[in-house]
Each structure stands twice: as structure tokens, then as C-alpha cells.
Amino acid sequence: ITKILKISNFHKYNKVFDNFYYICKINFFNFEKVFLYMTFLEIGIKSEILKAIAELGFLKPMPIQKTVIPIILNKDTDIIALAQTGTGKTAAFGLPVLQKLELEENHIQALILSPTRELCIQIADDLMNYSKYIDNLNIVPVYGGASMETQIRALRRGTHIVVATPGRLNDLLNRRVLSLKKIKYLVLDEADEMLNMGFAESIESIINELPESRCTMLFSATMPREISAIAQKYMNKPVEITIGTKNSGAENIKHVCYTVQAKDKYDTLIRIADYYPNIYGIVFCRTKKETQEIANKLIYDGYNAEALHGDLSQPQRDAVMNKFRNKNINLLIATDVAARGIDVDDLTHVINFTMPEDPDTYNHRSGRTGRAGKAGISIIITNLKEKNIIKLIEKKIGRDFIRESVPNGREICEKQLFHLIEKIEHIEVDHSEIEPYLPIIYKKLGWLDKEDLIKRLVSVEFNSFLDYYKDAPDLNVSEHSDVRRKSSRNHNDNAFTELYINLGRIDGIYPSGLIEFLNRSNKGMKFKLGKIEIAKSFSVFGIESDLADQMIHNMHGMKLEGRRIVVKLNDSKSNKPTKEKDKKKYKPRNKKGLI
Ligand code: AMP
């Protein structure tokens, strides 16, 4: 606490304690973690931003942030940083710039140039996330291939930060839509990429519009002569920083962990798929059976998914891989062995649906994304019992997982809505095909005003998402939940098979007694149990599907107090001890026809 007081300069940041308490709370008062945030405080990050990045799971500054942030916060010095994607450079320039904006001055103060539209959107999104708790701060991304009118309107409403691709910004400058005369910060992100893409001239003409007093930050993975030339011409005694030397894939990967109950793993998977509408990834399962089951469920629920495992013939495997490469399917559900030969460069996600066998396997799985300098996300869907494995993996990869919350219904709907709007904005209209129908369309819809028409159009697709997620529960499990209490009732997903046993209440059996009996009868076998339901004369229980046969085999011919014990697959509908409970209101759904 003394340290916090000293660092936070209490009278200056009087909100610090509120926010510090909040950070403690979201880290479940894990002080080891909480004290890591001290480094962000120490390098001068103010508490509103600290609160936002704590929510994003940033524990401590990455090396580039540790170097760049204090330099910019203390003095507006020009910086050249040799840094790859995935090193945390967006926060390195973003956090100090956000912190130093004069919000009451309503003009553009920071300009960030980036080579591609995707990066531009990504940077704007990141900055919005970091500044979530700063009121009245505006950020506008402008990039090619999107409606100029919409961007002009956004700029006219006023903004503090513009994130732009050079080509589009030049067009806008030529139309005199914006003025860059009062820019204080210029960031050239992925400068080498911008030059490779032929933006040198555009960049120079943009820089000529800026005041000389600005602070310039240049980030580049490589430092070719052209970049040095730009630096010499347009920068003022820049400080040079090098972070990392090699573009190793691992550095581009964000490692994320969602902790849920085992029965909610499949639902978590679809939430991830819905939250990232442009997802293109591999979902890893341990067994062939599980791989096929998950793929079947996804296909049934309307996702573009296929299974890849050793039970498929070579032509079948080739067909699946072709579909995946051509992006006819965007989710490939695969076993580790089957995925070995896959060489696809632009995967956005790797999802560990089942825990990898060991940390090395995790490394192989996650290394399928974040290739060729692209950013990737490797997600692990885990339950509390697997906490120790997570720790081993963290040790192996030398990084902590970012503990994220499974997106809730509202967050997913928001993402889908923006995705839909983007789609509407960029859809290519086939004029000749639609022409013959226009008179009837106008006749039917002509009476609607523009606002009404837009609302209805969006609702056609969006309503189904709203409906689907209306009653969706929170799937997150807190790390402080009672594992033991949950263990007897938390598994019912399709990784579990239901078995029948001829012991019930009349035999004095309770769930705890049944667990003990199964453990005793299967010595040396490690297994997880799913849902247990005790009826009058029999019980049914879930067991990891892989181990069901082994348990039946182990218990074959066993006797209890002279009575023969029968354990078999619970394939009879009559063996349903209770009425159908736990039936989800919001499942299953068929996503076909949605976005
Ligand atoms: P960037 O190089 O800016 O694209 O960042 C790479 C990834 O690292 C992004 O997914 C960021 O959200 C994440 N990131 C940035 N800073 C931190 C941090 N201090 N701790 C954890 N993750 C971070």
C-alpha cells in the first residue's frame, strides 16, 4: 500500500484507490497478480487506463511498452522502434498518446498511419478498448474500400485521433475534409510494410501537412535504407529502440484462456465462433470420436465446419483440406495427428477444445496461427481441474495466458451487429440481376422512411441473434469456485458417455457413495465423471467417452454383497431417472441463414 501511495501520488490521481480495488476484484484478490500492475503504475499509466487494460488481462508491460511509454509520457521525444507484430507496440504508442490528449480541445491531435485496412481497424479497436473509461474521447478509423461518405461524416463530428491508411487519408486531405495542422503525435506503424505497398509518396505528402513541432514515432519490423531516409528527413533526434530480433511466430500469438464448466465447453466454442465472425481456425480435440462429434454438432448448428481425423480415407481428408484452404469451411475440427501436415498461413484462431496432452503439443497447436508475421489467437477452453496443466504450459511458452471472460450475449450481438453493418456497407450489388425486381420492391417498401428501412433491414438477420442469446447464461467460472462441490454435477457434454449401473436409492446409494464405489472398482484408472442421477433401483452417470468401454470391462462380473453388478451403456430411454431437466431454453439453434 505504501508503494501504491508513493507511486500514485494520491492527490493527483484520486481515483486510484477505487480503480485499484476494482483491479483486485477482477483478479479475485490474487495479490501476486495485482502487484504486477504496479509496473504499469510505476511507468506512469493513469488509473482509468489501468482499469481498462486490467480488464483486457494485461498484467505487466511488455518490453517495448516499458521502454516507450515513459519516454513519451515524460517528454515528447521522437522514437524509432524496431519491433515485430505481436510485441505489444499498439499499447506502447497508444497508452501514452491516449493519456496525453487534451480532451477539451476538439481537434485531431494524433494521427496513426498503418498499411492495411485490417490493421487500421485493429488499432482503432485496441485504442477504444484502452480508453474505455476515458469519457468524451473520440477515435475515427479511415481506410480504403469503405464508404468515404460515412468516414467524412465521422470526421465532421470531430475526433481526437485518426487511424488511417495513407491512400484514403490523402484522398480525404485533397477533399479538405480534415485538417492536420494541430497534430501533436504522428505514429507510423509498420513503416516498412507501408513503403513496400508503395505508400512512400502519400506518406511524405501527409507529413508535409503536419506541424513541425509534432512528436513522431516510427515502428518497423525492418530498417531498410528508405526508412532511415524518412527518419532523417522528418524526425528530430529520434531515440532508437530494438525489441526482439527475429520474427518468430510465437511472438505474434495472443494466448487466451477461458475457464468454464466442462458441460459448457461446446457452448463456449460457439460463443467464440459467434464473437469472431471472421474466424478461420482449427479446433483441436484429443480423440477421433470427439473430433467427429464436435464437428457434427457444429454442422447441425449451422456453422461451416468439418472434421479431420485418422478415420477418414485419404481422398476424404484431401477434400476436407481443400475446402478449408479455399475457405469454404472456416472451422476445422482436428486431432493433433491429423493436423500435423496442415500448412495454412492465415489462421486467425487455434482453439484447444480439449487440453493438449503436454505443453509441447500446445506449442505445436498454437504455432499453427500467428504465422508469416500475422497476428493470431490461441484459445484454451479449460475447467478448474486443469489449472495445473495451464501453469505447465505457461512455463513452457514463457508467457501467461490472458484470462478472458467468455463473451456474453450482449457482446456477441454487438459484434454481429457491426459485422452485419460492415457487410451491408461493402456488399457488391448485382445491378442487372436486381433491376427487374426493383419496381415491386419499391412498391412494397417505398412507404418506409430511410431510418425505418435501415432498422428493419438490420433486424432481419440480427433478431435471430438477439433471440438466441436472450437467455444465455454467464458461462464463466471463477477461479475461486469450489471445485469439489461442482465436480459431481458439472459434466454432461458430449465428451461424456452415460453408463447405467443397477444400484439405486434402495441400495442406499448416493452420488458420493457411487463415486467412491467406482473408484474402488477401477483401481489404477484415472477418470472424470459427468452428471450422476440416482433413481430408485438404478443410477446413470457420465464418464469420459474414451474410458466408458474400459470401465464396463473392469466392472464386468463384479459382485457387491453377493449381488451381481451390471454396468452398461445407458442406451435405453426408460433409464431416465428424472424428468428432463437442465434443458436449455436457447438451444439447439440452426445458424444457417444467419450472418
Ligand atoms: P500488438 O503488437 O500491439 O499487436 O500486440 C500483440 C498482442 O499482445 C495483442 O493481442 C495485445 O492485446 C497483447 N498485449 C499488448 N500488451 C500486453 C500486455 N502488457 N500484456 C498482455 N498482453 C498484451
Side-chain angles (χ1 to χ4, degrees):
I1 296 290
T2 322
K3 195 170 175 191
I4 306 162
L5 266 175
K6 233 161 75 189
I7 300 163
S8 62
N9 197 352
F10 187 56
H11 61 277
K12 200 160 128 204
Y13 300 127
N14 56 6
K15 275 200 207 148
V16 82
F17 274 107
D18 274 359
N19 290 336
F20 182 71
Y21 177 68
Y22 178 82
I23 289 164
C24 293
K25 249 183 20 189
I26 62 172
N27 283 290
F28 313 113
F29 287 89
N30 175 344
F31 285 103
E32 216 175 294
K33 261 189 184 181
V34 169
F35 273 93
L36 287 176
Y37 287 110
M38 291 302 104
T39 339
F40 270 122
L41 266 180
E42 264 170 315
I43 59 172
I45 293 300
K46 69 176 179 180
S47 66
E48 287 89 340
I49 293 182
L50 193 63
K51 185 171 164 182
I53 59 175
E55 278 183 7
L56 295 173
F58 293 12
L59 278 179
K60 53 179 194 278
M62 291 167 90
I64 192 166
Q65 296 158 1
K66 227 170 166 171
T67 318
V68 171
I69 293 172
I71 296 179
I72 302 297
L73 283 183
N74 292 334
K75 196 165 169 255
D76 293 335
T77 312
D78 284 0
I79 288 177
I80 298 181
L82 205 63
Q84 323 282 342
T85 342
T87 46
K89 55 195 166 65
T90 316
F93 64 74
L95 302 186
V97 165
L98 286 168
Q99 188 155 323
K100 292 191 85 177
L101 293 175
E102 308 279 351
L103 295 180
E104 57 288 352
E105 291 179 19
N106 195 15
H107 57 80
I108 305 168
Q109 295 167 45
L111 170 65
I112 298 157
L113 291 181
S114 86
T116 63
R117 154 206 164 101
E118 288 74 24
L119 191 59
C120 197
I121 295 171
Q122 175 73 46
I123 294 172
D125 265 1
D126 286 351
L127 297 183
M128 284 176 202
N129 284 334
Y130 306 152
S131 57
K132 188 171 161 192
Y133 294 107
I134 304 178
D135 295 334
N136 305 321
L137 189 153
N138 296 313
I139 301 162
V140 172
V142 295
Y143 44 82
S147 147
M148 176 108 68
E149 295 311 312
T150 319
Q151 294 174 357
I152 292 174
R153 249 178 279 131
L155 289 169
R156 292 227 161 106
R157 278 197 291 271
T159 182
H160 300 102
I161 302 182
V162 170
V163 189
T165 50
R168 174 55 60 98
L169 184 65
N170 250 316
D171 286 351
L172 292 165
L173 282 170
N174 290 338
R175 291 179 177 219
R176 311 215 168 276
V177 175
L178 73 170
S179 158
L180 302 176
K181 294 278 176 254
K182 291 181 177 169
I183 289 283
K184 292 177 187 160
Y185 299 96
L186 167 68
V187 178
L188 300 168
D189 195 20
E190 307 213 347
D192 49 353
E193 257 326 283
M194 288 200 279
L195 295 192
N196 287 342
M197 292 171 73
F199 282 136
E201 232 174 79
S202 298
I203 294 173
E204 292 209 34
S205 79
I206 291 168
I207 295 182
N208 286 329
E209 294 280 316
L210 308 178
E212 284 202 358
S213 57
R214 69 176 187 268
C215 161
T216 306
M217 289 172 253
L218 183 152
F219 294 83
S220 189
T222 56
M223 207 43 76
R225 232 165 1 105
E226 295 87 333
I227 302 256
S228 310
I230 288 193
Q232 232 174 14
K233 196 161 162 195
Y234 296 107
M235 294 176 81
N236 180 18
K237 294 192 197 127
V239 176
E240 290 189 24
I241 298 161
T242 306
I243 302 288
T245 45
K246 224 173 106 251
N247 190 2
S248 84
E251 294 191 346
N252 304 337
I253 303 170
K254 177 171 158 184
H255 301 270
V256 174
C257 167
Y258 293 121
T259 308
V260 298
Q261 291 189 24
K263 74 173 171 58
D264 291 331
K265 278 170 71 170
Y266 178 74
D267 283 355
T268 305
L269 177 63
I270 31 182
R271 289 211 191 172
I272 295 167
D274 286 346
Y275 188 68
Y276 294 103
N278 295 322
I279 192 167
Y280 178 49
I282 305 180
V283 178
F284 281 97
C285 295
R286 202 66 92 79
T287 64
K288 296 176 207 168
K289 187 164 177 267
E290 188 188 36
T291 305
Q292 192 61 58
E293 281 171 358
I294 297 296
N296 290 350
K297 275 188 112 177
L298 285 168
I299 294 165
Y300 176 77
D301 282 336
Y303 294 85
N304 288 326
E306 291 264 0
L308 189 77
H309 53 71
D311 281 352
L312 302 181
S313 66
Q314 193 57 45
Q316 279 173 324
R317 275 199 250 177
D318 291 346
V320 171
M321 272 319 294
N322 275 340
K323 279 200 219 167
F324 189 52
R325 275 203 197 92
N326 299 334
K327 303 201 174 163
N328 291 332
I329 50 175
N330 60 338
L331 288 174
L332 185 71
I333 325 302
T335 56
D336 291 296
V337 180
R340 233 170 242 165
I342 298 177
D343 56 336
V344 178
D345 258 351
D346 46 355
L347 293 186
T348 59
H349 289 75
V350 159
I351 300 175
N352 293 264
F353 185 80
T354 15
M355 254 316 158
E357 224 156 73
D358 47 51
D360 273 334
T361 308
Y362 176 81
N363 240 350
H364 288 143
R365 286 181 178 184
S366 62
R368 311 230 155 254
T369 184
R371 288 180 164 199
K374 298 201 172 93
I377 301 180
S378 173
I379 294 177
I380 235 174
I381 306 175
T382 178
N383 58 45
L384 288 171
K385 288 187 193 157
E386 293 166 334
K387 231 156 104 180
N388 291 338
I389 313 178
I390 292 281
K391 283 208 182 110
L392 288 178
I393 297 174
E394 285 179 330
K395 217 165 149 194
K396 175 85 195 176
I397 60 174
R399 286 216 236 159
D400 285 348
F401 278 96
I402 301 175
R403 267 77 178 171
E404 280 187 6
S405 304
V406 180
N408 61 32
R410 193 183 51 79
E411 288 164 335
I412 291 170
C413 289
E414 241 176 61
K415 272 261 183 164
Q416 288 288 348
L417 179 61
F418 290 129
H419 180 62
L420 175 61
I421 296 169
E422 276 262 309
K423 261 181 73 171
I424 293 175
E425 206 184 340
H426 297 122
I427 190 97
E428 275 194 27
V429 177
D430 188 334
H431 293 279
S432 60
E433 282 292 321
I434 197 110
E435 199 77 40
Y437 302 103
L438 285 179
I440 182 87
I441 295 174
Y442 289 143
K443 199 170 161 202
K444 283 284 255 178
L445 301 177
W447 58 278
L448 292 166
D449 64 26
K450 192 173 144 199
E451 274 78 24
D452 212 12
L453 190 61
I454 290 174
K455 273 187 237 161
R456 283 167 191 250
L457 177 68
V458 170
S459 301
V460 170
E461 291 210 1
F462 188 53
N463 277 359
S464 43
F465 262 93
L466 286 176
D467 278 351
Y468 178 68
Y469 280 109
K470 197 164 65 191
D471 296 317
D474 181 5
L475 300 183
N476 297 290
V477 172
S478 121
E479 290 197 16
H480 283 205
S481 312
D482 184 343
V483 187
R484 278 157 303 157
R485 188 172 55 76
K486 270 209 258 50
S487 63
S488 65
R489 57 181 179 87
N490 69 354
H491 305 293
N492 192 29
D493 67 359
N494 50 1
F496 286 76
T497 297
E498 229 170 36
L499 296 186
Y500 162 100
I501 186 165
N502 61 339
L503 289 173
R505 275 197 304 276
I506 50 170
D507 305 297
I509 278 283
Y510 289 100
S512 55
L514 182 62
I515 294 170
E516 202 190 324
F517 178 64
L518 293 174
N519 276 322
R520 245 189 304 128
S521 314
N522 292 277
K523 283 219 171 77
M525 176 176 162
K526 274 195 174 160
F527 55 86
K528 286 182 198 150
L529 291 176
K531 192 149 96 187
I532 296 176
E533 297 188 58
I534 311 281
K536 196 169 162 198
S537 58
F538 65 92
S539 305
V540 291
F541 60 94
I543 169 133
E544 287 167 280
S545 297
D546 288 357
L547 300 173
D549 285 343
Q550 195 185 335
M551 182 168 280
I552 293 172
H553 175 79
N554 287 353
M555 297 187 69
H556 181 73
M558 193 169 273
K559 288 191 174 170
L560 182 68
E561 293 168 10
R563 196 170 129 210
R564 214 171 136 240
I565 299 297
V566 178
V567 176
K568 58 177 187 177
L569 283 176
N570 182 36
D571 50 4
S572 157
K573 288 220 165 56
S574 56
N575 292 341
K576 262 272 161 242
T578 49
K579 275 181 248 132
E580 277 228 273
K581 51 182 182 184
D582 294 348
K583 201 171 163 196
K584 289 183 193 124
K585 272 185 251 152
Y586 67 107
K587 283 203 73 180
R589 77 135 190 246
N590 197 317
K591 196 175 161 264
K592 283 206 173 87
L594 294 184
I595 301 169

